Amino acid sequence: MGTVHAEINGIIIHCNDSVLGINIGAGYTLEKRYLTDISYKNKITDGDGRLTLSYIGSQLKDDNGVYFICLNKVEDYSVTPPNIRPGICLTDRDIMCEDQIIAYKQNQMQYLHKIFSLIHLFKAGNIGFVQLFFEQKYTAMGFITNTMHQTDNSVTKNIVDERVFSLTTDEITACNAFLTDYIDTYDIIKDNIDEFIWGLEQVDVPTGFEQFTTALEMTMLAKGQRNKKEALAKRVSVLLETDPAKRLTLYNKMKDFYRYRSESLHEGNGQNITSSELLELEEVVRRILVKYLEYCKNEMLLKPTATWEEIKDKKINEMISVVQTAIAANELPQ
């Protein structure tokens, strides 16, 4: 067997010291590091030593200087060297196990995408990473060595949104419990969450608004759903509100939001969509997806082999029943 010594580093943007209490898991730590002590400083600064645009808004300061919240992981893992046999031609890529080393990086990125997506569902704030730096040193048979440097550039990451992700002491405990509770459930609803995350990454307000609406449609509407605006508005309102007055207010607001989205998507007219509406819809989608995470987890406890389509159909039928009850009680219009 061969051994790879891996080290992963990067800066977490738009957060403060409170996130140091988050348990990322899988051997990752969050650390406070001063700019002068960051080994990859040259990769986050320009030729004059000034921070690049991606990191300017995320620098923190105390009496000792500028610092960042940094992600770090160090671990050794095993790879399987190629079987050297007469007549078999091996490339340098084979000998250095590059495919396995690349696969390790991909697996790490998938894990981190999952964790930070869940963190975004827990609470609003532009937390995340723009770049992660991998250094992987491969050793085999005592004489074969190779060091691979890799950079993952999250080119779509929104660096314009200045909302800082911050947690109270109680929220740190709740956030860690949230990650533990839903890390496995995440996979069954990943596509819907990804659509929400894609909305967060948009710097254009109408485009972000469109993605958030699409995430709701993917989650709450069946294929071929008729009168989508009415169905979506009613289902959102009964899922998020129990008070009749608040339920009706949310219903009317969601109808307006859907009209704004249609005007933007089909007519190119996004003038009704302000940053305020965008943030309001973002929070609606966040609450809906958290509700669905809880629902999916419970359904999978009852039936571990349940598919997303089965769970979605069951939830839609439940919401239809609640909507009908609300209409009968004059809490929602026909």
Side-chain angles (χ1 to χ4, degrees), residues 3 28 32 44 63 97 151 157 180 223 282 319:
T3 300
Y28 285 95
K32 173 181 176 178
I44 63 171
D63 292 341
C97 298
T151 300
K157 178 59 185 171
T180 300
K223 292 181 180 179
E282 174 191 324
M319 286 188 294

Side-chain angles (χ1 to χ4, degrees), residues 182-201:
Y182 298 121
I183 190 168
D184 294 328
T185 311
Y186 163 92
D187 294 318
I188 200 167
I189 197 173
K190 177 182 183 301
D191 291 345
N192 310 56
I193 296 173
D194 281 350
E195 188 68 27
F196 172 65
I197 299 301
W198 182 235
L200 292 177
E201 292 180 341

Side-chain angles (χ1 to χ4, degrees), residues 32-271:
K32 173 181 176 178
R33 290 189 182 178
Y34 289 96
L35 180 60
T36 53
D37 299 328
I38 293 178
S39 60
Y40 46 93
K41 177 181 176 182
N42 65 314
K43 297 180 180 180
I44 63 171
T45 55
D46 62 20
D48 295 322
R50 294 173 298 197
L51 286 170
T52 57
L53 180 62
S54 300
Y55 298 106
I56 289 177
S58 300
Q59 57 185 324
L60 302 167
K61 296 180 181 180
D62 63 16
D63 292 341
N64 295 316
V66 172
Y67 68 93
F68 293 90
I69 305 302
C70 298
L71 183 76
N72 175 258
K73 178 176 181 176
V74 179
E75 76 168 344
D76 293 337
Y77 67 93
S78 297
V79 292
T80 304
N83 187 9
I84 301 176
R85 293 176 294 171
I88 301 298
C89 181
L90 297 175
T91 66
D92 290 344
R93 184 184 184 94
D94 296 327
I95 294 172
M96 296 304 175
C97 298
E98 287 191 13
D99 288 345
Q100 295 175 69
I101 291 173
I102 291 172
Y104 171 84
K105 173 181 176 289
Q106 292 173 338
N107 289 336
Q108 296 302 306
M109 294 308 304
Q110 289 172 2
Y111 177 81
L112 290 172
H113 175 75
K114 176 190 295 191
I115 290 297
F116 279 91
S117 294
L118 288 172
I119 290 173
H120 277 292
L121 286 177
F122 179 77
K123 189 178 182 181
N126 192 25
I127 189 172
F129 45 83
V130 180
Q131 296 170 297
L132 289 181
F133 307 106
F134 289 72
E135 181 180 276
Q136 302 201 62
K137 297 180 180 179
Y138 168 63
T139 304
M141 295 182 283
F143 65 91
I144 299 177
T145 60
N146 183 44
T147 300
M148 182 181 292
H149 294 276
Q150 305 155 302
T151 300
D152 184 273
N153 294 294
S154 300
V155 293
T156 62
K157 178 59 185 171
N158 187 342
I159 62 170
V160 176
D161 183 353
E162 296 182 348
R163 289 179 296 168
V164 173
F165 187 89
S166 179
L167 298 172
T168 65
T169 301
D170 288 343
E171 285 175 334
I172 292 171
T173 301
C175 182
N176 286 330
F178 184 85
L179 297 178
T180 300
D181 285 344
Y182 298 121
I183 190 168
D184 294 328
T185 311
Y186 163 92
D187 294 318
I188 200 167
I189 197 173
K190 177 182 183 301
D191 291 345
N192 310 56
I193 296 173
D194 281 350
E195 188 68 27
F196 172 65
I197 299 301
W198 182 235
L200 292 177
E201 292 180 341
Q202 303 306 305
V203 296
D204 176 66
V205 170
T207 304
F209 200 88
E210 291 168 14
Q211 303 308 317
F212 290 153
T213 309
T214 299
L216 288 176
E217 289 180 332
M218 291 171 61
T219 306
M220 307 184 77
L221 300 182
K223 292 181 180 179
Q225 172 73 53
R226 295 183 178 181
N227 201 352
K228 293 182 178 180
K229 177 173 68 174
E230 193 71 24
L232 191 65
K234 286 176 177 173
R235 291 174 192 176
V236 168
S237 67
V238 299
L239 189 59
L240 295 187
E241 297 294 352
T242 55
D243 177 80
K246 291 181 179 179
R247 180 174 281 178
L248 183 60
T249 297
L250 181 56
Y251 160 77
N252 288 322
K253 184 166 293 183
M254 289 305 302
K255 287 186 67 176
D256 287 340
F257 283 174
Y258 202 91
R259 175 170 56 84
Y260 298 164
R261 182 259 197 160
S262 296
E263 292 171 349
S264 175
L265 184 62
H266 302 299
E267 302 173 20
N269 178 12
Q271 64 181 8

